[in-house]
Amino acid sequence: MKRGFKITIISFAIAGILASQNGWADQTSSTSDLEQRLDNLESQVADLKQQLQDQKQQEAQNAQQAAQAPGVIASAPAYVTANSKDGFAFKSADGDFSLKIGGYTQFLARDFGSSDKEDLQSDHGSNTSYGEDDAFLARRVRLIIQGTVAHDFDYYLQPELGYNNALSSITSTSPSAYSPALQDAWIDWKYFPDFTIKAGKFKTPFDLENLQDTRVTDFVELGLTGNLTPQRDIGVQAGGNLYFDWISYAAGIFNGAADHENPYGGSSTAGYENGNATGVGRIFATPFKDTSIKPLQGLGVGYAVSYGKEKGSDIPASYVTTGQAPFFSYNSGVANDGPQLRTEPQAFYYYKSLGILGEKINDYESLEYTANSHIYRDKPDNHAFNVEASYVLTGENASYNGVTPKNNFNPGKGTWGAFEVVGRYGELKLDDSIFSEGFASESTSASEARAWSTGLNWYLNSNAKLVFDYEQTKFDDGAAAGVNGGNRKTENLFLTMLQLSIG
């Protein structure tokens, strides 16, 4: 019997009894008769309630059996959201399938100053290009597509639609420098939370500053240490978090990319031959993360290493300044000739509005070139370091993952977002043997670069950011003899960037 029909019967029963008892106070029926009738009515109502309860349970069981039947898909609503954190997101009710669409753009204005460019050109003649062109640039325009499949698999795709060239550095403003390129494309199997497998193209687990999301770095461009490590590579990596996320680890096998190289991001790597792939490993610990010692909760220390036997001409085309202008390149004919070992101790510290990040890279290479029927070989040791600091003036917490303003920019309400001041110092030193053995020339390449930078970051809200940077780089060598003592002229650079990001 249907629920509505039973309720109707109850209603009529009650109405009938009340009608039969109309004017009951004037009747001669005894009180005991009336009580008997009410008891009977209550019994009938209780029976009907039990039948309704039994029917509801039966309907629930039938629905469950239907959902579990082979070939039957239970209907459930999907979720569609749009917000600053996830972008445009689609998610199944059980969370096993999802799709997020987001991205970001960084519109950049740079000014080297005319006097610097004129001095640089005078070092080698007016026809020499140093990549120091004042310009407006769509520095990064990236679409991000990510999500989950079958609960256990994450995917991530990030094409570059803005500026792209061989080293992901800025050395040209011609239209050809803007062409689509693949930045990231990977799949992550996360069935075991402490042991995940990632395969595809992504940032190698090595350089601390490079591993940051480009949207939250203190400066527009990486420091000098970015010259001695691949930007990205293609391979397979295992990693995870241990001991309540106090320790993170990653280890992988990759094709092997040259210093500062981004495979398929403009230049390419031929892959590995005869098993000579490059192995990369990194471990990072935040031992006080969940303790009661608040001043140490934001301390993290780590160590990374990479090793591979490189052969062939896949060597860095050049090293660049923090302004992305080339200042060093090997002579024509120089090639890799064996093992390459990179090591990097790294650390960061964040406490309230203060942030500090530091790293030091040692890069041991094996090089060769042929001249006058003779093969010259060398194993130079190049090294670089960066130290940077930040302080959030408006009181928000600093972190490795960026700053979230407490109040969005809204002058009408007297709120202006968040403001952060930043500073950085770094050095890159090439091994003296590179020049003494003829692998590079001091008259065209600098043997050492020292850069300091300062800037102001203005977070209008969680999606919009304005950056103002000043960068100065000084050099040893890199100019013809007799010109500025043989040293390339100091580079001075002003950068202004507007960033808009979602997801």
Side-chain angles (χ1 to χ4, degrees):
M1 184 179 295
K2 299 298 182 180
R3 186 187 308 175
F5 181 62
K6 292 180 178 179
I7 292 175
T8 302
I9 291 176
I10 294 173
S11 301
F12 277 111
I14 295 174
I17 292 174
L18 292 176
S20 68
Q21 299 302 318
N22 184 33
W24 65 274
D26 297 328
Q27 302 297 321
T28 59
S29 299
S30 65
T31 302
S32 60
D33 292 340
L34 179 60
E35 290 177 349
Q36 181 64 41
R37 293 180 180 181
L38 290 174
D39 289 342
N40 292 337
L41 179 60
E42 290 176 354
S43 177
Q44 294 176 22
V45 171
D47 291 341
L48 290 173
K49 286 183 176 179
Q50 183 61 47
Q51 293 180 32
L52 288 172
Q53 183 66 26
D54 293 343
Q55 181 179 346
K56 290 171 64 178
Q57 293 179 354
Q58 184 62 44
E59 289 174 352
Q61 292 177 0
N62 293 340
Q64 183 178 6
Q65 292 174 358
Q68 295 176 348
V72 177
I73 300 177
S75 60
Y79 297 92
V80 180
T81 60
N83 55 58
S84 61
K85 179 181 178 181
D86 297 325
F88 300 94
F90 305 84
K91 189 175 184 179
S92 63
D94 58 9
D96 287 350
F97 295 84
S98 68
L99 167 66
K100 296 179 182 180
I101 301 175
Y104 63 100
T105 181
Q106 294 178 341
F107 183 74
L108 182 68
R110 65 177 184 181
D111 185 352
F112 286 96
S114 59
S115 60
D116 287 341
K117 291 186 292 183
E118 291 170 359
D119 288 341
L120 284 166
Q121 290 174 352
S122 68
D123 288 354
H124 298 287
S126 59
N127 293 327
T128 300
S129 173
Y130 285 86
E132 296 195 334
D133 297 318
D134 300 338
F136 295 109
L137 298 171
R139 179 66 177 97
R140 299 177 181 93
V141 181
R142 296 179 180 176
L143 176 68
I144 299 175
I145 301 172
Q146 60 183 315
T148 301
V149 173
H151 186 271
D152 297 330
F153 298 90
D154 286 345
Y155 60 90
Y156 190 95
L157 179 65
Q158 182 178 231
E160 173 66 80
L161 306 176
Y163 196 95
N164 167 52
N165 70 359
L167 297 174
S168 296
S169 60
I170 305 173
T171 59
S172 173
T173 57
S174 66
S176 62
Y178 294 88
S179 59
L182 184 63
Q183 289 293 320
D184 298 276
W186 50 260
I187 299 171
D188 193 11
W189 183 38
K190 57 177 185 178
Y191 184 83
F192 303 101
D194 297 332
F195 183 82
T196 65
I197 303 294
K198 179 186 287 188
K201 181 189 176 186
F202 47 91
K203 292 181 178 181
T204 55
F206 190 82
D207 183 40
L208 183 62
E209 187 184 25
N210 184 50
L211 286 172
Q212 275 188 296
D213 191 313
T214 306
R215 293 170 285 184
V216 302
T217 53
D218 288 340
F219 293 88
V220 175
E221 305 291 354
L222 297 177
L224 292 172
T225 53
N227 285 293
L228 299 185
T229 178
Q231 303 298 293
R232 287 170 169 82
D233 207 344
I234 302 173
V236 179
Q237 167 188 299
N241 298 316
L242 304 173
Y243 300 106
F244 308 100
D245 294 341
W246 293 353
I247 297 177
S248 64
Y249 71 95
I253 300 295
F254 299 86
N255 279 338
D259 295 347
H260 198 50
E261 188 178 57
N262 181 4
Y264 303 163
S267 62
S268 63
T269 179
Y272 61 89
E273 297 179 0
N274 301 321
N276 294 330
T278 294
V280 184
R282 176 178 181 264
I283 187 167
F284 197 86
T286 52
F288 302 99
K289 177 181 178 181
D290 298 316
T291 69
S292 60
I293 311 175
K294 291 185 178 180
L296 296 180
Q297 288 177 350
L299 174 65
V301 294
Y303 191 83
V305 60
S306 75
Y307 179 84
K309 294 182 179 179
E310 303 294 335
K311 286 279 190 179
S313 59
D314 189 23
I315 62 172
S318 62
Y319 294 147
V320 299
T321 67
T322 51
Q324 302 301 287
F327 70 88
F328 170 87
S329 59
Y330 287 104
N331 291 335
S332 177
V334 175
N336 290 307
D337 183 40
Q340 180 175 21
L341 173 66
R342 304 182 185 98
T343 62
E344 182 186 296
Q346 52 191 240
F348 63 54
Y349 176 73
Y350 296 96
Y351 180 61
K352 295 184 177 179
S353 298
L354 174 67
I356 300 174
L357 183 150
E359 56 194 4
K360 183 181 185 298
I361 296 179
N362 283 84
D363 185 3
Y364 306 88
E365 295 187 87
S366 300
L367 303 174
E368 70 172 13
Y369 75 95
T370 301
N372 300 322
S373 301
H374 181 75
I375 299 177
Y376 296 85
R377 291 187 174 90
D378 190 23
K379 295 184 178 181
D381 174 14
N382 305 321
H383 56 268
F385 75 88
N386 280 333
V387 177
E388 59 187 62
S390 63
Y391 189 82
V392 186
L393 300 174
T394 44
E396 287 85 351
N397 290 331
S399 79
Y400 184 71
N401 296 317
V403 175
T404 301
K406 294 179 181 178
N407 301 294
N408 293 338
F409 174 75
N410 190 336
K413 295 183 178 180
T415 57
W416 299 88
F419 292 88
E420 177 188 38
V421 291
V422 294
R424 178 174 65 192
Y425 180 79
E427 295 183 2
L428 187 153
K429 179 70 171 67
L430 283 304
D431 197 311
D432 292 338
S433 64
I434 290 177
F435 301 93
S436 62
E437 298 295 328
F439 290 86
S441 171
E442 292 180 342
S443 64
T444 56
S445 295
S447 62
E448 184 173 359
R450 299 175 299 279
W452 67 270
S453 312
T454 186
L456 174 68
N457 298 328
W458 182 9
Y459 301 86
L460 285 78
N461 51 51
S462 299
N463 303 98
K465 176 182 176 183
L466 268 173
V467 177
F468 306 92
D469 289 347
Y470 171 74
E471 313 256 6
Q472 184 182 91
T473 307
K474 294 185 176 181
F475 308 92
D476 289 344
D477 304 316
V483 178
N484 194 33
N487 298 324
R488 174 175 167 149
K489 295 295 191 298
T490 297
E491 176 183 284
N492 295 284
L493 173 67
F494 293 91
L495 289 172
T496 303
M497 182 189 76
L498 173 60
Q499 171 180 292
L500 186 64
S501 170
I502 185 170

